[in-house]
Amino acid sequence: MTWDFLLWLFVLIINSGLVGRTTYALICLTDLEQDFINPYDLSNRLNRFVIAEYAGQFIMTAALIAGGKWFCAALHIAVSAYMITLFVKKQVYIDATDAFKQLKGQKFRRGVIFGCYCFSFVMVVFRLVETIVHQMLTPEGRETARKLFKEAAVTLQGTEHLPFNMTVKYGRCKELLNGKAGTGYNAQGIEGR
């Protein structure tokens, strides 16, 4: 495993948690708007996770900067700056006595952050898959994939229990894995397998 893979995996885990936390906050705000919960429950539910949300955001931003992932880091620096602005203006915590007055603004702010997290989530998943594919394209990665596929082929129940056409395909798979197979073409066209 390379540093890039571990970095993207770490960022994916934190980003998933932040998307989930922001979704939970939006659901709680909608519940307050629909009068399913009272303002005191809302403030208790949302205010206890503010420090964890800020810590996750700043750790993720620092990891992206340390890893040299500048585009994603720039996005998260902007989100961090927005969150710091909210903290300075004291708009982070929900006051139970003013919850209905803060509702529209809180939903908007959390919606903006949710949009940034979702965009980042898609980017991180793409980069993680890209890193995995690039690792598989190296000679070591191809060797690891060959061993993995060979072990998967060996774990079959055995060729004696398989129908004839599957036995032929299994044999062809073994030839491909061992590097002994031809192209599948002969002088007259496709081989009769």
Side-chain angles (χ1 to χ4, degrees):
M1 286 189 256
T2 64
W3 164 249
D4 281 345
F5 172 75
L6 294 175
L7 174 71
W8 289 121
L9 185 63
F10 177 71
V11 169
L12 179 69
I13 291 168
I14 293 179
N15 200 351
S16 300
L18 291 173
V19 166
R21 193 276 190 239
T22 308
T23 303
Y24 177 72
L26 287 171
I27 290 170
C28 286
L29 290 168
T30 303
D31 285 349
L32 177 69
E33 188 176 40
Q34 300 297 322
D35 227 7
F36 292 135
I37 61 173
N38 63 41
Y40 295 102
D41 288 341
L42 175 76
S43 63
N44 286 336
R45 289 180 184 182
L46 297 185
N47 290 342
R48 72 175 131 179
F49 293 115
V50 170
I51 301 296
E53 181 180 11
Y54 273 68
Q57 174 62 35
F58 294 137
I59 289 170
M60 183 169 51
T61 304
L64 288 169
I65 291 170
K69 309 302 179 200
W70 302 115
F71 183 74
C72 282
L75 172 70
H76 284 284
I77 287 171
V79 172
S80 296
Y82 182 66
M83 290 173 76
I84 289 171
T85 303
L86 293 177
F87 188 78
V88 168
K89 291 181 180 179
K90 299 185 190 283
Q91 295 176 341
V92 176
Y93 293 103
I94 295 179
D95 184 20
T97 58
D98 289 339
F100 286 104
K101 291 180 187 176
Q102 299 174 358
L103 185 63
K104 187 174 181 179
Q106 283 287 341
K107 281 182 78 171
F108 176 76
R109 288 189 281 281
R110 296 190 191 263
V112 168
I113 292 172
F114 179 73
C116 291
Y117 285 155
C118 286
F119 178 71
S120 174
F121 182 80
V122 170
M123 246 184 349
V124 168
V125 168
F126 175 78
R127 291 296 185 181
L128 181 65
V129 170
E130 181 184 40
T131 301
I132 291 170
V133 168
H134 280 289
Q135 284 181 358
M136 294 302 248
L137 293 178
T138 64
E140 298 86 19
R142 282 191 295 254
E143 181 63 27
T144 303
R146 188 183 72 74
K147 287 179 183 176
L148 179 72
F149 290 133
K150 190 173 186 178
E151 289 174 10
V154 169
T155 59
L156 288 174
Q157 292 179 348
T159 58
E160 65 274 4
H161 301 293
L162 297 175
F164 176 72
N165 61 350
M166 290 186 73
T167 305
V168 171
K169 288 179 184 178
Y170 176 71
R172 176 81 173 142
C173 182
K174 280 177 68 175
E175 291 173 5
L176 288 171
L177 289 172
N178 293 328
K180 298 176 184 173
T183 60
Y185 295 96
N186 58 19
Q188 289 133 3
I190 299 176
E191 292 179 347
R193 290 192 187 237

